[in-house]
Amino acid sequence: MAQRYVRVKTTQGHIHYGLLQLSRSVQVFDAPPWLKGQPTDLALQPESYQILAPCSPSKIVAVGKNYVDHAAEMGTAVPTEPLLFFKPPSAVIAAGGAIRYPQQSERVDYEGELALVIGEHCTNCTPEQAHSKIWGYTIANDVTARDLQKRDNQWARAKGFDTFCPLGPWIVRELSPAARLQTFVNGSDRPAQSSQIDRMVFSPDFLVSYISQIMTLIPGDVILTGTPQGVGPLQIGDRVRIEIEGIGSLENTVISH
């Protein structure tokens, strides 16, 4: 099993980065691992912490319509360049956290995605240079108020509600390009979404390079790489679980606002 890097909050309210052990204890680091954090002598027992989102990004840059089949189901062509938008850091919640269904919307969708975590400052990088700037990989749900997205010219409202970016539960350093992403709703055995991540139109390395030509990426920033076909609506009370081979699963429940 790949090493799982976590961010946790203790029962005393202290936040730590660390390495999750098979015993579910956490070996605490003295700083975020992408900032050269090193293991300390402190180990947290399973009952003494809760898992948070695995990083605290300064920005979340997301990519729209990065799978051919998803662009088709949205009734549009594949963009000739990456289609970028932001989700605010205030949208981030952890695995197990509640997605709040906003009163302003009548259609809220799940969108299972691979998320990249940046480990080094990245400005004007080539794709070859960009690969080394990706510190690790985690899972995201780009929750979207679909009716508001269609109504607005900009996507900030539809994508930006608090709780609209479940992230986690941990970060792994390596991931197979052929890893499969699947989304399940309410414990169904049949995935609502299922695709290999190498079916992206624009690869992770290309995306990091492209974004770095526009804005500097800093350690801990997150890039959402797009969702495959099969997005669909969520209702209050639903449970949505996103799995990526080699990482694990991210599960959240929908509640009323």
Side-chain angles (χ1 to χ4, degrees):
M1 179 180 291
Q3 290 186 316
R4 298 170 293 176
Y5 294 86
V6 293
R7 178 169 160 264
V8 300
K9 184 176 182 180
T10 68
T11 51
Q12 291 78 33
H14 302 298
I15 295 175
H16 299 285
Y17 290 86
L19 193 60
L20 184 64
Q21 309 295 320
L22 290 177
S23 65
R24 304 295 293 187
S25 65
V26 173
Q27 182 181 23
V28 170
F29 289 9
D30 58 10
W34 44 89
L35 297 181
K36 314 302 181 187
Q38 297 298 310
T40 70
D41 294 332
L42 178 61
L44 302 175
Q45 297 309 305
E47 66 279 1
S48 69
Y49 68 84
Q50 67 179 93
I51 290 184
L52 304 176
C55 57
S56 181
S58 77
K59 56 184 171 293
I60 303 156
V61 187
V63 182
K65 302 174 184 176
N66 197 28
Y67 288 79
V68 173
D69 53 8
H70 174 58
E73 75 175 346
M74 299 304 290
T76 62
V78 175
T80 57
E81 294 181 288
L83 175 61
L84 304 182
F85 59 93
F86 287 109
K87 292 177 83 77
S90 53
V92 172
I93 58 171
I99 299 167
R100 295 201 304 271
Y101 202 114
Q103 296 175 339
Q104 298 95 322
S105 177
E106 296 180 354
R107 169 72 185 256
V108 172
D109 285 8
Y110 56 81
E111 294 190 10
E113 308 201 7
L114 172 68
L116 316 176
V117 179
I118 300 300
E120 298 180 23
H121 278 79
C122 185
T123 304
N124 295 320
C125 296
T126 66
E128 293 74 24
Q129 294 168 331
H131 182 75
S132 67
K133 307 296 186 180
I134 301 172
W135 193 86
Y137 306 88
T138 190
I139 306 170
N141 189 348
D142 175 21
V143 183
T144 303
R146 191 70 70 201
D147 53 344
L148 303 185
Q149 183 186 30
K150 292 178 179 178
R151 189 184 311 167
D152 296 348
N153 289 326
Q154 301 290 335
W155 296 358
R157 183 167 66 136
K159 300 283 192 175
F161 284 99
D162 288 354
T163 75
F164 267 30
C165 190
L167 194 66
W170 42 68
I171 300 168
V172 301
R173 297 298 313 275
E174 302 292 337
L175 190 66
S176 167
R180 181 164 292 276
L181 181 156
Q182 295 185 300
T183 301
F184 301 86
V185 180
N186 293 331
S188 172
D189 294 332
R190 185 173 182 177
Q193 293 182 287
S194 183
S195 179
Q196 291 179 192
I197 59 176
D198 59 4
R199 293 179 183 168
M200 293 179 194
V201 177
F202 302 106
S203 71
D205 293 353
F206 183 89
L207 292 174
V208 172
S209 172
Y210 182 87
I211 295 166
S212 80
Q213 313 295 322
I214 304 164
M215 67 194 80
T216 297
L217 295 166
I218 66 174
D221 280 351
V222 169
I223 296 173
L224 308 188
T225 58
T227 195
Q229 179 184 22
V231 300
L234 292 168
Q235 308 298 330
I236 294 170
D238 283 352
R239 290 179 296 111
V240 56
R241 185 177 83 254
I242 302 162
E243 299 179 356
I244 299 180
E245 290 176 324
I247 303 179
S249 64
L250 170 70
E251 184 167 330
N252 300 87
T253 301
V254 183
I255 64 171
S256 60
H257 192 275

